[in-house]
Amino acid sequence: LKETPDFVEQSSRIEKDVLRTDRTLPLFATDSMYGGNDESNLNETGLPGSSATLEKMKDILMTFHYYDKATLGYVQGMSDLLAPIYSVYQDEPTTFWAFALFMKRMRPHFLRDQSGMQDELTTMANLVEIANPQLFQHLEKCDASNMFCCYRWLLIWFKREFGFENILKLWEVLWTDYLTDRFVLFVALAVLQRHSDVIIDHLRSPEDVLKYVQDLSDTIDLNDALKGAEVCFYKVRHRVQTVERIRKQRGLPMFTSSAESQDSSDNSGIGDQAIAGHITKDTSNAVVPVTSPQTDSEVPLISFDWEEPKDNVSTSSSEDVLSSVGEDNPKDASNSKISIISRTPSLSPSPEADDGKGKKWSTEASRPADIVSANDTNANAPQDPSLPEISYSIHKIFANGYQN
């Protein structure tokens, strides 16, 4: 076996990757028995020396390559996922089986056609578009809306963005499938939200965005990111469920129609690439209702232009984690309270109406609640409104997620 071209090639790839993995940590430092000293090795081979721990990691990855060869085998980046697991068990057989189980979950990230990561990035773009439209529009202008800036974050679960101890904590959270088995997307969304002001105000190209995001490594506060991720989850879920409820009331499909036939075949935990298209909306002729939270803990309902009146937004400490970019204050926002539960106003254009105070409102939905009559025949009339379409990947996150 060791003489075969595949073994020789994979052995070289694995050695290069392992010898560059977490070398600043004592557990993975060079030892004299296996590696001599780093300086002499760097001069001779261009790589640092090895150690007993690193040799075991090489063996684990080579074993995994042949164990999983029929499906995937070894792919660059897997050494980053192995190191934290080995640091916990420090036992070769136990580490191997733990890593093999972990890779069942992470396998879509390493598919050679990149379809798994493309699905992740598309879903990430959908989430940004829902949570912070202003940021998403700026990324589109920068030609960075493909979210390639988040590629490394999602590929290896922020392995290179946090210190080693914080990675162990983060992964423990992600392994619990708290709220959703795709909670890592909301961690990424929270970090982008935190830095959205800088991105919008100062970055003008995909290279600028990529460099800025990658330079956040070792600067992100883990607790801040986790709190923000939880807020983002509830915020986006509220928006998605609101849109889906109104689409259902109007007899419209809640998400991309081609998705339903693929539901039973998708067990990867990664969104369907074919159906995870960008959320579409047409806001040229429609302004949609706004409501206020019923309790201090309730995430505020928003318009489908995603413009939340700040006067009505809960000011809990966890909400402060996120940037409010994209949350513009409409005029007279304190009066713009229309309950979607009790009434679904028309979303189609209507003649201008005067509220008696000289204020003109171009659509029924944009008028304050006190001038939308309870007997307004347009309030519940079935229309063909310009409601956003929720991609199936986004729908599935909340359909399969925490329901309480």
Side-chain angles (χ1 to χ4, degrees), residues 56-130:
K56 290 178 181 178
M57 287 181 60
K58 292 179 190 177
D59 291 342
I60 291 170
L61 292 172
M62 182 59 77
T63 303
F64 177 78
H65 172 72
Y66 284 99
Y67 169 78
D68 194 61
K69 186 178 179 182
T71 305
L72 185 61
Y74 177 77
V75 179
Q76 187 177 23
M78 290 182 180
S79 59
D80 279 292
L81 300 181
L82 174 61
I85 299 174
Y86 184 87
S87 73
V88 172
Y89 292 111
Q90 298 190 32
D91 173 76
E92 195 168 341
T94 307
T95 300
F96 170 80
W97 289 113
F99 177 72
L101 288 173
F102 186 30
M103 285 310 304
K104 284 186 177 181
R105 177 171 186 154
M106 300 297 286
R107 180 177 283 113
H109 289 195
F110 294 91
L111 296 176
R112 300 187 190 281
D113 64 0
Q114 295 287 298
S115 59
M117 281 305 299
Q118 182 59 50
D119 289 342
E120 286 284 80
L121 296 176
T122 300
T123 305
M124 186 73 227
N126 293 167
L127 290 173
V128 173
E129 188 174 14
I130 295 172

Side-chain angles (χ1 to χ4, degrees), residues 129-181:
E129 188 174 14
I130 295 172
N132 194 331
Q134 187 175 347
L135 174 60
F136 184 78
Q137 290 165 11
H138 181 75
L139 291 174
E140 285 188 311
K141 292 178 182 178
C142 294
D143 197 23
S145 60
N146 58 9
M147 305 312 297
F148 187 74
C149 59
C150 299
Y151 187 93
R152 187 174 74 186
W153 290 1
L154 303 179
L155 177 70
I156 53 177
W157 274 14
F158 287 90
K159 171 61 168 49
R160 299 183 186 177
E161 318 312 318
F162 294 100
F164 202 79
E165 289 300 318
N166 278 337
I167 278 296
L168 297 179
K169 295 176 183 177
L170 173 61
W171 285 13
E172 286 286 349
V173 172
L174 298 179
W175 281 332
T176 67
D177 292 339
Y178 177 61
L179 299 180
T180 170
D181 59 2

